[in-house]
Amino acid sequence: MTSRSLLVVHQERCTGCRLCETVCALFHDGVVSPSLSRVSVIKDEIKGTDIPILCAHCDRPACREVCPSRAIRPTGAHGTGIIDPGRCIGCRLCVQACSFGGISLTPEGEPRKCDLCGGEPRCARYCPAGAIEYLPASRIGPRKRRLGAGRLVEFVAVAESKGV
Ligand code: SF4
Ligand code: SF4
């Protein structure tokens, strides 16, 4: 396996400003429209905390494996899968297959997935709180991995409570 960089979320630092959503849409679509963003910030109303949710760039992506039209191909930065809108048939099986909530839907129902902005993720670059970092995999230790697992558990609980 080759060494690569990964997006790391420090949920405890997130202030819920949603600038990450804005810069994502601005970079990819040229408009200030967070509904087009590939990163979603989910609010835990009970705890009053915010959870940035984005693609984990799996080595064996479930989204890619279930796609019947082979629309998700490892052609993005560092081999991460990106969705080819020309091949996507809109079945949204990828959304169901991803355990991380890594695929968002536009208001028109088009699936969107992080492509690392070609190697310089804008969410990490502009987050004023340092809640999203783009780090070499070698710098991500066991403690951070445990925190990441906790974030996933919390995301699932919040998503279920909202009926997502
Ligand atoms: S830009 Fe940073 S602080 Fe603001 S919502 Fe996104 S992750 Fe949270
Ligand atoms: S969208 Fe989900 S399944 Fe696909 S690579 Fe990202 S985290 Fe993995």
Side-chain angles (χ1 to χ4, degrees), residues 11 14 41-51 154 158:
Q11 184 204 323
C14 178
V41 180
I42 291 187
K43 182 112 190 147
D44 184 334
E45 305 287 356
I46 296 174
K47 291 184 179 174
T49 55
D50 299 275
I51 312 170
E154 190 167 343
V158 173

Side-chain angles (χ1 to χ4, degrees), residues 10 16 18 23 28 38 42 45 55 71 80 91 146 153-154 158-159:
H10 304 276
R18 296 179 182 265
V23 294
H28 291 98
R38 284 134 168 95
I42 291 187
E45 305 287 356
C55 173
T80 186
C91 67
R146 281 196 299 276
V153 169
E154 190 167 343
V158 173

Side-chain angles (χ1 to χ4, degrees), residues 54-64 72 80-81 94 97-103 112-114:
L54 39 75
C55 173
H57 299 285
C58 312
D59 282 336
R60 293 179 55 195
C63 58
R64 193 165 79 211
I72 303 176
T80 186
C94 54
C98 176
S99 303
F100 299 92
I103 295 188
R112 292 283 182 93
K113 177 182 169 312
C114 170

Side-chain angles (χ1 to χ4, degrees), residues 1-157:
M1 188 186 302
T2 57
S3 177
R4 58 175 179 156
S5 293
L6 301 169
L7 284 167
V8 176
V9 174
H10 304 276
Q11 184 204 323
E12 72 284 1
R13 297 180 187 170
C14 178
T15 63
C17 70
R18 296 179 182 265
L19 187 62
C20 49
E21 295 180 350
T22 299
V23 294
C24 179
L26 195 56
F27 176 74
H28 291 98
D29 300 284
V31 292
V32 177
S33 179
S35 65
L36 298 176
S37 175
R38 284 134 168 95
V39 51
S40 305
V41 180
I42 291 187
K43 182 112 190 147
D44 184 334
E45 305 287 356
I46 296 174
K47 291 184 179 174
T49 55
D50 299 275
I51 312 170
I53 300 296
L54 39 75
C55 173
H57 299 285
C58 312
D59 282 336
R60 293 179 55 195
C63 58
R64 193 165 79 211
E65 289 176 10
V66 300
C67 179
S69 61
R70 302 175 67 83
I72 303 176
R73 292 178 292 163
T75 50
H78 305 282
T80 186
I82 59 174
I83 301 175
D84 180 349
R87 297 181 70 100
C88 177
I89 58 174
C91 67
R92 297 176 201 131
L93 284 175
C94 54
V95 179
Q96 297 177 45
C98 176
S99 303
F100 299 92
I103 295 188
S104 56
L105 292 172
T106 67
E108 289 72 37
E110 178 190 342
R112 292 283 182 93
K113 177 182 169 312
C114 170
D115 60 1
L116 297 176
C117 300
E120 189 183 353
R122 297 310 195 267
C123 55
R125 178 172 166 184
Y126 289 107
C127 174
I132 303 176
E133 288 188 299
Y134 189 52
L135 298 173
S138 58
R139 286 185 52 196
I140 303 171
R143 180 176 175 275
K144 190 66 233 174
R145 290 167 60 197
R146 281 196 299 276
L147 289 172
R151 178 173 66 94
L152 177 58
V153 169
E154 190 167 343
F155 160 65
V156 171

